[in-house]
Amino acid sequence: MQREDWQRIRAMIEAGNDAAAEEGLTALLDESSLPAGGSDIRAQAGLALVELLVAQGRCDEAQQWALRLSRALAAEPELRVEVARIEFAAFRDSDEGRDIVQQVDALRASEQFLVRYGGDDETVEMRRLHGLAALARAAWLRELERESEALEAYIALAERLKTTDDRALRQIRLRALYLAAAITDDPQQAVELLDTYLAEPDGEPVNAILGAPRVNRLDAHRGRLQALRSLGRDSAVLASDGQEVLDAWFQQARDEELDLAALWACDALSREVSDLHRAASDGQAADAVMHRLLARFASVGQPEVRARLAVFFLRWISSAAPDANRYSDWECAQWQALLSHYDKEADARVLESVAPAWLRLGSAQTQLRRPHEGEATLAAFIGRFESSKDPEIARHVACARLDRAIALTDLGRGDDALAVCAALRREPVGEWMTTAHRACIAEAGYWYGRDLRERGHAQEAAREIDALLERFAADASPKVRLHAANALFSEWQDALSENETDPGRQTRALAAMARFEQVFCEDRDLAIRRIDATRQLRQGGILARNGDLDAAAQAYRMLIDRFANDGDGDLRGTVAAARENLSVLALKGASAAVTGIKRDPTYAPLLARLGEADEISGKGELHEAASIYREVAEQASQATDPQVRLLGVVALGQLCFDLLSGKQWQALAQAAQQVIDRTADAALRPETETRILRRRSRACVHLGIALNRLGDRAAAVAAYDLLADFVGRQGDGDEEVADAVAGGLYNRAVLIDESGDLPSAITAYERVVEYQRDMSQTPQVRLREVRALRNKTLALTALGRHAEAADACRRVLDLCTGHAGEDFAQRARQAALELADAQRAQRLWDEAARTYEWILSGKGPAFPPGEMRNIQRLLKEVSAGGKPWWRPW
């Protein structure tokens, strides 16, 4: 009867019915239920119960049962191995993990086990358990961060089993060598351990604890390459060695061996070999390694392997991309390679893993000025997956619809883009949806309403905002709420963008602001708080412009009180602007009771004197104006009121502009240095800080210009280096400071470029681009970025870095899109031709042909007829593989 019960319980365990199995095991192990001679069943059941408890993380109970069973069965020598197995199972690792106390208990139990069963006269089975227990002890030492003891334990175990002829013990020895190499800090020791490991045959797996030997060997090869690389060995040689290992493994491995464990090991080794090829400047070989991995595993019968392969390949593309902030043609080629292996895939789980490649390809094609390809890719993706009920796939489809709308806009199909957004924003929101999916629906509503407003459909746009707020203003996710908040923000921004003094526009803007305050004033999301602070600042400006100075001052005071202690840089900038505006209102006559500011009586006459100098300067009488500017600066320097001292700095700043206009370089250098000295950090006050920083940043630029004109390039660069204080530290959020800093950083980059230090110049130009990333993208800011990227392109080309030069050209083309004026048109033409030149330099004939075709189609920058004929000739040349298309007679 007991044996039948045991068979039934085993079936429960195999079926995963742990609760019923535990109940049955407990009943079976009751001493009163077992007749004499049933100890073997008791040992098997005891082992099953201990393993079950450990797997559930109930390690203390497992240990108690192990002790109880060990004592109960100790009198039966024939069960010695079974008892050892029970004890060993109790201190094995748990899938649920162990706390620190349980780890110490497991370590102690493993050490006691090794003492109790450590004799040389033990059976082979006992010696195997002893070896596994030694591995377990070392593992617990590692868990307890006793790495050096663990390393000694692994090496001692490997040495003790050096002469064994038992296959299982040999694998335990190999495992000890492998793990010792993984934890040693000495790369030379790691190489020696792994060389020993790899010199011995692996054989077939004998114990799940030891893993699959063939997979372990792949990982050992990877560890060996990493150790040799850290020792400074040649990357190309190491890459070749690793490639030989992979090729041999792929050739020998049977399809049924290509499981998840094999994929993990092959992916890790392939990525290591790919990195080594890239370190050896062999990008094609680096890509080929990963493509071989893709080809070998993509046809595997197990869907979970194919799905994981897609995830791994996408991860590799992201890690190896040339620029983490921008898509590239290289990434498009990799995504297309991935999709080519899954074009007939039918398994939903696999398609879910592949979907991001499809979506990213369409987005990248759009960004890379290939909107026709991008729109087609996204439309095909949507068509294939739009009926999917899987939440992640549905999210990807929603993102694809938004990206497709952008592509349609780039193609001049604004009505189609509007229709796409209209359809997406009508999609019902369900509880099954991910946050990102809801955010896509909300964003579609935002763009739909904004597009309607820009087309002149104000009432329809207002209704869309109502619907957006009703659906998403109270959403649990701030990412979703932000789109509703942005809808109101864009409404008041659009109302004020053309004419802030128009009463009708002011009324619309103030109504939108009031509604924002009603809906979002208590929202704790940082992005929404930033918009709220901007709202209050803009509201105060409107009130001040309409002459209601006390109401404006009250608005600024409320902003300061609410956000003054916030640590966010953007909010600090908004608070600083409010303080300065409040100070200005005090000067203009706002009540001291509201502003809390009393003015120095010398301020008014000095301000009048400064205005007199400005008027004289405007008439071109620069010498007389300079005398007054210096007079104001001298008188203001002795004041205690920060507003009066600021007048002195303003006077010197205006003097700098006149000296710059008159090309008086020595005097300009002296005046600019005076401004810098007077605006040191000690001079900063909350009510004048931003205006002080504006003058200081501009003075650094003026000093750099003057020193360069005086022939001291090194000193000029040092002057521009003073602007480093403003990058990420001071003047956050002020566009005037940012514009001066960006201009100075650009001048600095040009000086470095002219010195011939091209690598440093490239870094300096990229610093300009990076600094301007968060600035308002005005035409002036865009043009400066275009000029920086254009100069960077020339430097990259001179250094033979053609792939990077091509990416810089694409960025120039993106920036020039939609901007009128010859400055942009000229640089767009240059960038288009230089993009093709960079592609030709890399022998990418098809890509160069596509660039020339794009130019000739009229969708790119406009070229004069004579230049278009030359481009036609160049197209024929690259179509012939770079050979001249004409016959050289």
Side-chain angles (χ1 to χ4, degrees):
M1 182 65 182
Q2 286 77 18
R3 295 190 184 279
E4 286 81 358
D5 289 343
W6 168 231
Q7 294 300 325
R8 180 174 51 82
I9 294 169
R10 287 180 61 183
M12 293 178 187
I13 295 172
E14 291 173 1
N17 191 355
D18 292 348
E22 181 182 346
E23 183 179 353
L25 287 168
T26 304
L28 190 60
L29 291 171
D30 185 351
E31 291 183 13
S32 63
S33 68
L34 280 176
S39 297
D40 60 331
I41 296 177
R42 188 170 193 174
Q44 295 175 56
L47 177 61
L49 179 59
V50 169
E51 289 178 338
L52 184 67
L53 293 171
V54 169
Q56 294 177 358
R58 296 158 62 185
C59 301
D60 293 336
E61 295 176 63
Q63 193 67 44
Q64 291 169 6
W65 269 106
L67 290 172
R68 177 181 169 185
L69 291 164
S70 177
R71 290 168 184 159
L73 299 173
E76 303 183 47
E78 67 275 11
L79 296 178
R80 180 176 170 80
V81 172
E82 284 71 15
V83 171
R85 284 185 182 140
I86 293 171
E87 293 181 14
F88 173 72
F91 60 75
R92 279 184 55 184
D93 193 13
S94 166
D95 292 340
E96 300 296 323
R98 297 180 187 243
D99 60 32
I100 186 69
V101 174
Q102 291 172 335
Q103 290 174 12
V104 172
D105 289 342
L107 173 62
R108 186 179 299 115
S110 67
E111 291 173 339
Q112 292 170 352
F113 182 98
L114 292 171
V115 172
R116 188 157 51 250
Y117 300 105
D120 293 334
D121 58 343
E122 295 283 6
T123 64
V124 171
E125 185 63 30
M126 287 300 296
R127 291 205 302 273
R128 290 173 182 173
L129 280 173
H130 191 275
L132 292 173
L135 285 178
R137 173 180 176 267
W140 289 121
L141 287 169
R142 289 184 67 183
E143 285 289 331
L144 294 167
E145 299 182 1
R146 293 159 63 177
E147 299 283 341
S148 60
E149 294 177 68
L151 179 60
E152 291 176 6
Y154 284 133
I155 293 176
L157 176 61
E159 185 64 26
R160 183 164 61 84
L161 299 178
K162 189 173 183 179
T163 59
T164 184
D165 56 359
D166 179 70
R167 182 162 59 91
L169 289 173
R170 283 204 309 271
Q171 286 195 8
I172 292 174
R173 164 179 155 73
L174 290 175
R175 186 67 172 171
L177 289 168
Y178 171 80
L179 294 172
I183 64 172
T184 180
D185 293 329
D186 181 356
Q188 185 60 51
Q189 184 183 34
V191 171
E192 292 169 359
L193 289 167
L194 290 171
D195 281 343
T196 303
Y197 174 93
L198 293 168
E200 300 190 22
D202 49 17
E204 294 300 316
V206 297
N207 192 306
I209 298 174
L210 303 177
R214 287 171 62 82
V215 172
N216 288 349
R217 290 178 75 82
L218 283 174
D219 202 51
H221 280 292
R222 180 182 62 86
R224 182 176 181 276
L225 291 176
Q226 289 179 330
L228 289 170
R229 189 177 185 181
S230 67
L231 290 170
R233 303 297 171 81
D234 183 77
S235 295
V237 174
L238 294 177
S240 178
D241 292 346
Q243 190 60 63
E244 287 182 13
V245 173
L246 282 169
D247 290 343
W249 199 93
F250 285 147
Q251 186 175 2
Q252 297 168 11
R254 301 184 302 274
D255 285 351
E256 56 268 25
E257 293 180 298
L258 302 181
D259 56 11
L260 279 176
L263 175 61
W264 279 89
C266 286
D267 173 71
L269 180 55
S270 295
R271 290 187 61 160
E272 182 66 29
V273 174
S274 180
D275 288 346
L276 286 166
H277 278 305
R278 211 170 293 282
S281 302
D282 192 345
Q284 286 187 326
D287 297 346
V289 173
M290 299 305 296
H291 284 233
R292 278 193 287 271
L293 172 75
L294 179 64
R296 188 67 181 90
F297 279 89
S299 59
V300 172
Q302 302 175 50
E304 60 271 20
V305 174
R306 298 198 304 278
R308 180 57 59 179
L309 172 64
V311 172
F312 283 171
F313 200 79
L314 285 169
R315 184 183 65 183
W316 167 71
I317 295 172
S318 299
S319 65
D323 186 340
N325 297 313
R326 296 179 58 82
Y327 291 128
S328 65
D329 284 331
W330 178 85
E331 288 167 283
C332 289
Q334 308 314 312
W335 290 319
Q336 287 170 328
L338 174 63
L339 292 172
S340 69
H341 287 280
Y342 291 86
D343 55 348
K344 297 180 181 179
E345 181 63 58
D347 189 280
R349 292 169 297 174
V350 180
L351 288 173
E352 181 181 339
S353 298
V354 178
W358 216 326
L359 183 61
R360 291 171 196 172
L361 175 61
S363 302
Q365 288 168 330
T366 302
Q367 188 186 97
L368 293 170
R369 318 302 306 155
R370 291 151 58 182
H372 286 88
E373 296 176 50
E375 194 276 330
T377 299
L378 292 167
F381 173 78
I382 294 166
R384 183 162 183 179
F385 293 103
E386 63 184 347
S387 61
S388 173
K389 300 301 181 184
D390 181 271
E392 280 301 311
I393 295 291
R395 172 180 72 85
H396 288 311
V397 171
C399 292
R401 284 176 169 160
L402 273 180
D403 288 340
R404 182 171 177 244
I406 295 172
L408 289 167
T409 302
D410 288 346
L411 290 170
R413 295 165 58 185
D415 290 343
D416 291 338
L418 186 64
V420 170
C421 286
L424 178 57
R425 98 334 172 174
R426 285 196 299 268
E427 188 174 328
V429 174
E431 294 182 359
W432 56 273
M433 282 184 176
T434 64
T435 296
H437 192 162
R438 298 198 312 278
C440 283
I441 296 173
E443 186 176 356
Y446 164 78
W447 286 113
Y448 182 72
R450 181 168 175 173
D451 199 324
L452 287 173
R453 188 166 56 250
E454 290 173 353
R455 291 169 181 242
H457 306 306
Q459 291 185 344
E460 293 178 55
R463 285 196 293 271
E464 186 59 33
I465 291 177
D466 290 342
L468 196 62
L469 291 171
E470 183 178 350
R471 293 182 76 190
F472 299 114
D475 193 275
S477 170
K479 293 180 180 178
V480 179
R481 296 197 304 274
L482 181 60
H483 294 299
N486 274 331
L488 289 171
F489 174 72
S490 74
E491 185 177 22
W492 78 64
Q493 286 288 92
D494 289 349
L496 300 174
S497 60
E498 294 183 10
N499 186 354
E500 292 199 18
T501 61
D502 179 77
R505 290 180 176 275
Q506 286 187 357
T507 300
R508 279 173 46 206
L510 289 171
M513 291 176 180
R515 193 170 186 189
F516 186 98
E517 181 179 14
Q518 178 185 5
V519 177
F520 294 108
C521 67
E522 299 299 326
D523 202 299
R524 304 310 302 164
D525 176 64
L526 177 59
I528 295 176
R529 282 167 55 78
R530 289 171 176 171
I531 297 175
D532 195 24
T534 302
R535 170 191 67 81
Q536 294 183 57
L537 186 68
R538 203 75 185 269
Q539 211 165 4
I542 293 173
L543 293 169
R545 194 172 292 107
N546 292 338
D548 195 347
L549 302 187
D550 283 356
Q554 186 63 38
Y556 292 140
R557 287 291 297 270
M558 290 175 63
L559 188 160
I560 294 166
D561 291 344
R562 186 172 181 188
F563 298 107
N565 296 323
D566 200 292
D568 177 65
D570 283 348
L571 287 174
R572 287 201 309 271
T574 306
V575 168
R579 282 190 170 122
E580 296 206 18
N581 290 352
L582 186 65
S583 181
V584 171
L585 289 179
L587 298 173
K588 290 183 175 181
S591 168
V594 178
T595 63
I597 301 172
K598 294 183 179 180
R599 288 276 69 93
D600 187 312
T602 63
Y603 181 87
L606 279 178
L607 179 63
R609 191 69 170 144
L610 184 59
E612 180 185 346
D614 290 342
E615 186 176 346
I616 294 172
S617 174
K619 295 176 181 178
E621 300 172 9
L622 303 185
H623 181 74
E624 185 176 348
S627 177
I628 300 175
Y629 283 138
R630 290 190 172 97
E631 173 194 323
V632 171
E634 177 60 29
Q635 292 183 25
S637 66
Q638 307 302 319
T640 57
D641 189 318
Q643 294 289 352
V644 177
R645 291 201 304 274
L646 175 61
L647 288 180
V649 174
V650 171
L652 287 172
Q654 295 300 101
L655 174 61
C656 285
F657 280 109
D658 284 355
L659 295 172
L660 178 65
S661 176
K663 299 182 180 180
Q664 300 180 46
W665 308 122
Q666 190 64 52
L668 175 59
Q670 293 172 354
Q673 187 62 59
Q674 281 185 280
V675 174
I676 294 170
D677 292 342
R678 288 196 184 195
T679 56
D681 287 349
L684 297 180
R685 294 292 183 273
E687 64 270 28
T688 59
E689 180 174 346
T690 300
R691 285 172 289 168
I692 287 284
L693 293 176
R694 288 172 184 168
R695 296 295 172 176
R696 186 200 295 180
S697 61
R698 187 61 61 186
C700 291
V701 176
H702 284 151
L703 180 60
I705 293 172
L707 292 172
N708 184 45
R709 292 303 186 101
L710 291 170
D712 194 342
R713 178 181 291 160
V717 171
Y720 292 128
D721 284 339
L722 295 174
L723 293 167
D725 287 341
F726 295 92
V727 181
R729 289 177 52 198
Q730 296 181 319
D732 283 347
D734 186 77
E735 291 295 331
E736 191 173 327
V737 171
D739 186 67
V741 173
L745 292 177
Y746 176 80
N747 292 352
R748 175 181 177 274
V750 170
L751 290 179
I752 296 172
D753 196 348
E754 290 174 350
S755 73
D757 185 357
L758 296 185
S760 296
I762 290 168
T763 301
Y765 285 127
E766 194 55 46
R767 187 182 185 193
V768 177
V769 174
E770 183 63 31
Y771 181 77
Q772 292 198 159
R773 195 179 301 278
D774 296 326
M775 291 176 62
S776 298
Q777 296 302 299
T778 64
Q780 179 184 1
V781 170
R782 284 269 178 125
L783 183 58
R784 185 189 296 119
E785 185 169 350
V786 164
R787 291 166 64 194
L789 287 169
R790 158 85 176 139
N791 291 350
K792 178 186 174 184
T793 300
L794 297 176
L796 288 166
T797 302
L799 292 173
R801 293 159 60 178
H802 300 294
E804 295 172 76
D807 284 336
C809 290
R810 293 189 190 93
R811 294 165 73 180
V812 170
L813 290 169
D814 284 345
L815 290 166
C816 290
T817 299
H819 283 279
E822 182 56 25
D823 283 335
F824 285 102
Q826 175 190 349
R827 287 169 175 84
R829 290 192 293 270
Q830 292 169 337
L833 293 176
E834 286 163 0
L835 172 59
D837 287 343
Q839 290 163 336
R840 294 173 66 185
Q842 299 173 80
R843 306 182 70 80
L844 301 174
W845 309 119
D846 290 343
E847 291 185 22
R850 280 202 299 268
T851 300
Y852 288 133
E853 288 167 354
W854 174 66
I855 295 171
L856 293 169
S857 71
K859 296 168 184 170
F863 283 80
E867 192 67 29
M868 292 291 269
R869 286 192 293 273
N870 184 49
I871 292 169
Q872 288 174 339
R873 178 185 63 79
L874 292 170
L875 174 58
K876 293 179 180 179
E877 185 175 312
V878 297
S879 298
K883 300 175 183 177
W885 64 273
W886 68 93
R887 181 172 297 179
W889 302 103

